[in-house]
Amino acid sequence: MYDRKKKILFFFIVGFFIFVMMGNEVFATQNTANPHLTIALDPGHGGEEDGACYYGIREQDINFTVAQKVKKELEKYPNVTVVLTRDKEETVGLFERADRASAANADILISIHFNASNSHESQGASVYISTGENYREKLQKLADHLLGEFEAIGLENAGTFARVTQMGGRRTDGSFDDYYGVLRHAYNSGMPSVIIEHCYLDSKKDKEFFQSEEGLDRLVKADANGIASYYGLKKADGTKVKAKHAKVFGGTTKAIEKGCFEAPNITGIRLLDDKEKSPGIAHYEVKVEDPAGIRSIYLVYQNAEGETATIFLNHEKGLTTGTYQLTTYISPDLAPGKYTLRYIGAYNVCGYDAGYNRAGNSMIGFGKCDWLNTFSYDKEADLNIEKPRNVSKAYALRMDHMIQMSALYHRYPLKLDYSN
């Protein structure tokens, strides 16, 4: 009888131990549903930097609100840590944002923004990724998940973009740096990063997403779901978000409408005038390859003192494949001297942009998140500005009219300059 009681007690203890261990295993499985992931959310602008301001909304405020809400959503997943790169009213430099994310051992930096345009006619969500090779494929896939979510809530897909620096800065591997400072500093810190431009604060069509709490929550859910589906995150009960992929990978709405998904190609440029006087008109020959039509071309020059000048080339319609003679206005603000062409920028009617950096005797192009063509260049479009000259009132009015017409025509998305 005594032995029987001992056996019963033994099996009871063993059974209880097994039960506890199984319970702990189930608990551990639920709470280790995901490998540990740290996400740094970067609310763009802040403090002295308002960002875009429309409909009584400051971008810095809405960026912070969205970041807080996305943080709360992502923290519902076990083993996911979310940090913010700034407090609500704090002014933080771009390098510092990347540095704070790096100090938190973040696996990725996601910068939260809203957009605006010169024409006030643009709309939709877009994602900017680094031009660097190390993370580009992964970041394109993340952008695909995010844009799929934005499409699902009714936003237009404004595309996936990457943009190189305008002044030729290089990484240690020789490739050109990112234009956007937060992407550049993150990449150079060994960390992948993206910028989410949720929609346009100056768009009548997009305002349903930022003028109400309900609309904002739809954006927040899209952010959280896109990130969760990309990383394959599971909640404590094992459920996952099903990925929504963009209907056209990285395609802008206008590109979908026109069936054209190519970045604008510049294949040659030269100045047709020997010397330029200020103020005055300069003539250029430009060769382009674009089936949809290039709507804007601009040139970034630099003089011996390091001063830069941006000049827009005038044309009245989209430039499809061919050779064109284009004009520009030389402002009296340009100091006399030699100006070296450093960068050529172009936008086409489908919403894609491309940038060409000078490297030795070549112009190297980047657009649509990939390297484009390279064409030879040996100072063919460098400027030599003579001393400013006195002009008649009629000539000055004509030049002023040309500037105004140029400003009206060149309608390309306005990216607030957070490039430093």
Side-chain angles (χ1 to χ4, degrees):
M1 185 71 177
Y2 180 72
D3 290 337
R4 185 181 176 189
K5 287 183 178 179
K6 284 188 3 180
K7 287 181 180 179
I8 292 172
L9 181 61
F10 173 79
F11 285 117
F12 175 80
I13 293 171
V14 171
F16 181 79
F17 180 78
I18 292 172
F19 174 79
V20 171
M21 291 302 294
M22 288 181 65
N24 283 341
E25 184 178 352
V26 171
F27 183 82
T29 300
Q30 289 179 343
N31 284 276
T32 57
N34 313 300
H36 190 271
L37 179 68
T38 300
I39 298 170
L41 296 179
D42 173 45
H45 306 291
E48 297 176 356
E49 300 174 9
D50 286 340
C53 298
Y54 293 93
Y55 296 105
I57 296 173
R58 293 192 307 174
E59 188 192 350
Q60 66 156 289
D61 296 331
I62 197 171
N63 290 343
F64 190 79
T65 299
V66 168
Q68 283 184 309
K69 287 175 174 283
V70 174
K71 181 179 188 291
K72 187 176 180 180
E73 286 294 317
L74 290 175
E75 286 177 337
K76 293 177 181 178
Y77 294 91
N79 296 312
V80 174
T81 301
V82 183
V83 298
L84 300 185
T85 62
R86 73 167 171 93
D87 294 328
K88 187 172 184 180
E89 299 298 334
E90 190 179 13
T91 302
V92 187
L94 299 175
F95 181 84
E96 178 67 17
R97 293 169 189 265
D99 193 48
R100 290 182 180 185
S102 182
N105 294 316
D107 296 285
I108 190 168
L109 173 61
I110 299 174
S111 195
I112 305 295
H113 282 266
F114 284 73
N115 219 331
S117 69
N118 281 336
S119 65
H120 309 304
E121 295 176 355
S122 297
Q123 63 240 355
S126 55
V127 178
Y128 282 75
I129 69 174
S130 174
T131 62
E133 296 286 349
N134 289 352
Y135 315 113
R136 195 187 314 164
E137 185 177 347
K138 291 180 180 179
L139 294 178
Q140 282 180 310
K141 290 179 180 178
L142 173 58
D144 175 48
H145 283 249
L146 289 166
L147 290 171
E149 291 289 339
F150 292 134
E151 286 178 350
I153 65 172
L155 270 170
E156 292 192 9
N157 177 353
T160 305
F161 300 94
R163 185 177 176 187
V164 289
T165 175
Q166 290 189 354
M167 296 313 296
R170 302 275 190 131
R171 302 186 183 96
T172 55
D173 63 4
S175 61
F176 288 107
D177 265 329
D178 286 289
Y179 173 80
Y180 296 109
V182 71
L183 300 182
R184 180 171 67 251
H185 297 314
Y187 187 91
N188 293 338
S189 298
M191 179 173 45
S193 62
V194 300
I195 298 171
I196 302 176
E197 296 280 2
H198 287 87
C199 55
Y200 283 78
L201 288 181
D202 58 339
S203 167
K204 292 180 180 178
K205 186 171 183 180
D206 285 352
K207 68 179 181 178
E208 67 173 284
F209 293 98
F210 57 78
Q211 278 202 318
S212 69
E213 197 72 22
E214 180 186 358
L216 214 56
D217 286 341
R218 291 163 70 191
L219 291 179
V220 168
K221 200 69 175 177
D223 281 353
N225 285 349
I227 295 166
S229 65
Y230 171 75
Y231 282 106
L233 299 180
K234 296 179 182 179
K235 291 190 175 179
D237 60 2
T239 58
K240 296 173 63 175
V241 175
K242 186 178 180 180
K244 297 181 181 71
H245 298 286
K247 292 177 182 177
V248 177
F249 188 83
T252 71
T253 302
K254 292 179 181 178
I256 294 170
E257 292 173 357
K258 293 182 175 293
C260 178
F261 304 96
E262 301 300 326
N265 251 338
I266 307 291
T267 60
I269 185 169
R270 67 187 181 97
L271 182 66
L272 298 178
D273 309 277
D274 292 333
K275 292 181 180 179
E276 297 314 316
K277 294 183 178 180
S278 171
I281 297 294
H283 303 83
Y284 290 82
E285 179 184 86
V286 182
K287 297 179 180 180
V288 305
E289 290 182 5
D290 194 284
I294 295 177
R295 63 177 178 175
S296 175
I297 299 175
Y298 62 98
L299 313 177
V300 180
Y301 283 94
Q302 186 176 43
N303 66 10
E305 285 70 40
E307 299 169 335
T308 60
T310 300
I311 293 175
F312 285 88
L313 301 186
N314 294 282
H315 50 90
E316 296 179 356
K317 60 181 180 179
L319 305 179
T320 54
T321 302
T323 301
Y324 299 87
Q325 288 192 15
L326 307 177
T327 59
T328 191
Y329 171 74
I330 303 299
S331 168
D333 295 333
L334 264 65
K338 293 183 178 180
Y339 286 79
T340 302
L341 180 61
R342 294 293 186 188
Y343 181 86
I344 305 171
Y347 287 85
N348 68 12
V349 297
C350 289
Y352 293 116
D353 67 331
Y356 289 79
N357 270 292
R358 182 171 178 173
N361 292 332
S362 299
M363 283 286 183
I364 301 176
F366 186 97
K368 190 108 182 307
C369 301
D370 208 351
W371 296 104
L372 298 173
N373 66 305
T374 298
F375 64 88
S376 60
Y377 179 81
D378 188 21
K379 304 180 181 179
E380 289 90 347
D382 287 4
L383 281 173
N384 185 21
I385 304 295
E386 291 187 345
K387 293 181 179 180
R389 56 178 172 165
N390 293 323
V391 297
S392 67
K393 185 175 181 179
Y395 186 84
L397 288 172
R398 179 188 166 200
M399 295 301 99
D400 184 63
H401 175 72
M402 189 166 188
I403 289 176
Q404 297 301 323
M405 293 304 293
S406 174
L408 286 173
Y409 183 75
H410 292 293
R411 295 175 174 179
Y412 60 93
L414 170 66
K415 296 293 299 176
L416 295 171
D417 189 6
Y418 37 100
S419 59
N420 293 326

